[in-house]
Amino acid sequence: MAHRIVVTGYGPPADVLALVETEPPIPGPGHVIVETKAIGVNPADAKTVRGQMGADESKLPLPIGFEAAGVISAVGDGAAVPGGALGVGDRVIVYRAHGAYTDRLEADLTTVHPIPDDLDFEHAAGLLLVGVTAADTVRTADVGDDDVVLIHGGSGAVGVIAIQLARAAGATVIATAGPRNHDHLRSLGAIPVAYGDGLLDRVREAAPRPVTSVIDTTGTDEAIDTSLELVDNPGTIVSIAAFGRASDGIVLLNGSTPESRRHRTEAVDGLIADAATGDLVTEVAKTFPLADAAIALTELETSHPRGKFVLVP
Ligand SMILES: NC(=O)c1ccc[n+]([C@@H]2O[C@H](COP(=O)([O-])OP(=O)(O)OC[C@H]3O[C@@H](n4cnc5c(N)ncnc54)[C@H](OP(=O)(O)O)[C@@H]3O)[C@@H](O)[C@H]2O)c1
């Protein structure tokens, strides 16, 4: 039998998630089955559970989870990729997955990406959702070596990758985080600044030159209000979370426009390659058994340690 976490109603994870047993999936044409070894946990999963991404009762019980890593255990008809086949036994990431919180994940081959030997399942499982998002922000902000970029939430899973991509593009990076994470941000080449009261003054003091663009991963009014004071053109503020501030003229990204989708698709191979060589630093904070998905999501919603949470079937 296979096992899967489903949402049985929209609300707090501890109240509405259930572990269910299902028949093992059989791969359809162009699909594979991946025996998952690690599953990435994301804030979007918690938002889905709470009904913040839509609360359609007709979708219940709803499978959740956007990414996982594991080993191909079965291949459907026509499941071959151009330039080389993937087959049973291959280590792969599935992104973007549908219902990744399972030990047997059916995936369209277009969403299956080989994992290099040097990348372990746990780091691979949490890499791509945040990685492609970070890449989209940096490309949309058109970051280059003349820029001074302010990144709100620089210690978050998206933020740490955005810092590294912006630094690789040659920019000076100022990044906000709680004080416990400042040394890590320095190690990535960013100038750390604490969020909270007085943020605008601290950024101005830290910046060697005026801020030219902003990447916001927090969605707070403090982050957006501070950013609007720092740049002349609100169109140079790119946010993945401040969807209530669209009327301020900032750029909001969620992968829904053709350009945003293209940025994300084009980033996948480089992220996997750089994570495998260690050129891209990512961290796994904590692993949880699949059955403890509700605990993982509840902890993720509070002030949690830096790095990704991963479920292990
Ligand atoms: N639109 C999209 O395409 C997209 C894609 C991916 C993610 N997202 C969203 O982006 C957000 C970040 O995701 P993530 O995975 O990076 O989350 P995460 O790993 O949980 O990071 C959260 C970050 O927020 C910081 N933070 C916590 N409280 C704060 C406060 N009061 N003010 C300012 N910063 C604060 C944390 O700093 P410390 O821990 O240092 O205190 C940390 O840097 C989530 O809302 C997620 O749903 C959107």
Side-chain angles (χ1 to χ4, degrees):
M1 297 298 280
H3 301 86
R4 158 183 303 286
I5 296 283
V6 294
V7 181
T8 60
Y10 299 103
D15 296 349
V16 301
L17 290 186
L19 180 67
V20 294
E21 230 176 41
T22 62
E23 290 297 323
I26 296 167
H31 285 216
V32 295
I33 304 301
V34 175
E35 188 180 311
T36 60
K37 303 292 185 192
I39 299 156
V41 178
N42 288 287
D45 304 339
K47 293 176 187 175
T48 303
V49 173
R50 287 185 179 276
Q52 292 166 0
M53 318 275 268
D56 183 348
E57 299 282 330
S58 72
K59 291 189 173 164
L60 302 175
L62 177 69
I64 57 165
F66 294 111
E67 56 184 346
V71 175
I72 294 177
S73 60
V75 175
D77 289 344
V81 278
L86 279 171
V88 171
D90 286 340
R91 302 166 74 245
V92 292
I93 297 172
V94 182
Y95 179 76
R96 182 174 174 114
H98 295 286
Y101 285 24
T102 177
D103 51 7
R104 299 274 183 287
L105 177 61
E106 182 169 7
D108 188 307
L109 257 186
T110 58
T111 65
V112 172
H113 314 279
I115 304 177
D117 290 344
D118 292 337
L119 187 58
D120 63 56
F121 287 123
E122 291 174 4
H123 285 81
L127 172 67
L128 284 184
L129 189 147
V130 292
V132 301
T133 304
D136 191 12
T137 62
V138 171
R139 291 215 29 208
T140 302
D142 197 18
V143 172
D145 54 12
D146 290 339
D147 284 309
V148 176
V149 184
L150 170 62
I151 300 181
H152 295 285
S155 53
V158 177
V160 290
I161 298 180
I163 288 174
Q164 294 174 76
L165 297 177
R167 291 289 296 136
T172 299
V173 176
I174 301 161
T176 71
R180 64 183 172 166
N181 290 318
H182 285 195
D183 283 347
H184 186 65
L185 298 203
R186 271 187 211 100
S187 78
L188 299 177
I191 302 166
V193 169
Y195 53 77
D197 283 351
L199 175 60
L200 178 60
D201 289 340
R202 284 193 295 282
V203 173
R204 283 193 169 131
E205 203 171 304
R209 300 187 304 286
V211 170
T212 53
S213 55
V214 178
I215 291 170
D216 166 54
T217 74
T218 68
T220 64
D221 285 334
E222 175 187 81
I224 301 305
D225 292 340
T226 300
S227 304
L228 290 166
E229 293 286 332
L230 288 165
V231 296
D232 295 333
N233 175 6
T236 59
I237 302 170
V238 175
S239 177
I240 58 166
F243 290 95
R245 299 294 300 262
S247 59
D248 288 290
I250 64 175
V251 178
L252 290 160
L253 291 180
N254 63 5
S256 62
T257 65
E259 191 181 42
S260 178
R261 272 200 296 276
R262 180 171 56 79
H263 290 159
R264 293 175 188 226
T265 303
E266 289 176 358
V268 167
D269 290 348
L271 289 163
I272 295 173
D274 288 347
T277 58
D279 287 341
L280 181 70
V281 177
T282 64
E283 294 175 299
V284 173
K286 208 166 167 183
T287 61
F288 301 77
L290 176 62
D292 288 348
I295 297 173
L297 288 176
T298 303
E299 276 189 36
L300 190 69
E301 290 183 310
T302 61
S303 179
H304 58 82
R306 196 182 66 238
K308 293 294 296 179
F309 284 4
V310 171
L311 302 176
V312 178

